[in-house]
Amino acid sequence: QVQLVESGGGLVQPGGSLRLSCVASENIFNFNIMGWYRQAPGKQRELVATINVGGVTNYADSVKGRFMIYRNGAEKTVWLQMNSLSHEETAVYFCNAQILRQKYWGQGTQVTVYS
């Protein structure tokens, strides 16, 4: 059973930065794609950023230029560096991994942007 464990969430002021980590229980190159999603209170879960097995990245328009997704195979880890955070980005952030049509989710990590 694939396990994804997120960490790195917390409290940050507007304009601040956080780095989220997602550690997988197996070789991350087994996955076709890995990514980060977020879900704010009362809203649907939305894509933030993804990275595929070839290293191609994709970002939601709202985070382009501020967030960066990257990985390290030896550490079985995918990170999400988030800069210039705004209050509207308060949400639970989830790590996702996909093998063909099978999707796996982590438990989520809370990010709260407050002033």
Side-chain angles (χ1 to χ4, degrees):
Q1 180 70 18
V2 172
Q3 292 186 332
L4 303 171
V5 179
E6 303 104 328
S7 62
L11 301 174
V12 63
Q13 292 186 328
S17 299
L18 281 176
R19 188 179 75 160
L20 306 182
S21 301
C22 171
V23 180
S25 58
E26 62 182 73
N27 184 349
I28 62 173
F29 294 106
N30 289 341
F31 305 113
N32 300 111
I33 192 166
M34 294 188 72
W36 289 93
Y37 289 70
R38 64 189 178 191
Q39 187 166 17
K43 295 187 177 181
Q44 290 188 331
R45 191 171 299 189
E46 63 176 2
L47 181 147
V48 177
T50 61
I51 183 167
N52 72 11
V53 66
V56 177
T57 57
N58 180 55
Y59 297 91
D61 287 343
S62 62
V63 308
K64 285 180 180 177
R66 299 186 297 117
F67 289 16
M68 183 172 68
I69 186 170
Y70 59 104
R71 65 188 179 187
N72 183 300
E75 298 185 38
K76 301 180 184 179
T77 302
V78 174
W79 291 273
L80 183 69
Q81 177 66 45
M82 306 187 294
N83 299 323
S84 302
L85 284 160
S86 65
H87 175 72
E88 292 72 26
E89 294 177 305
T90 293
V92 178
Y93 285 69
F94 296 91
C95 181
N96 170 270
Q98 298 182 35
I99 301 175
L100 299 178
R101 296 181 181 179
Q102 183 67 48
K103 296 182 180 181
Y104 303 93
W105 295 94
Q107 81 287 351
T109 185
Q110 177 70 46
V111 171
T112 302
V113 185
Y114 74 103
S115 56

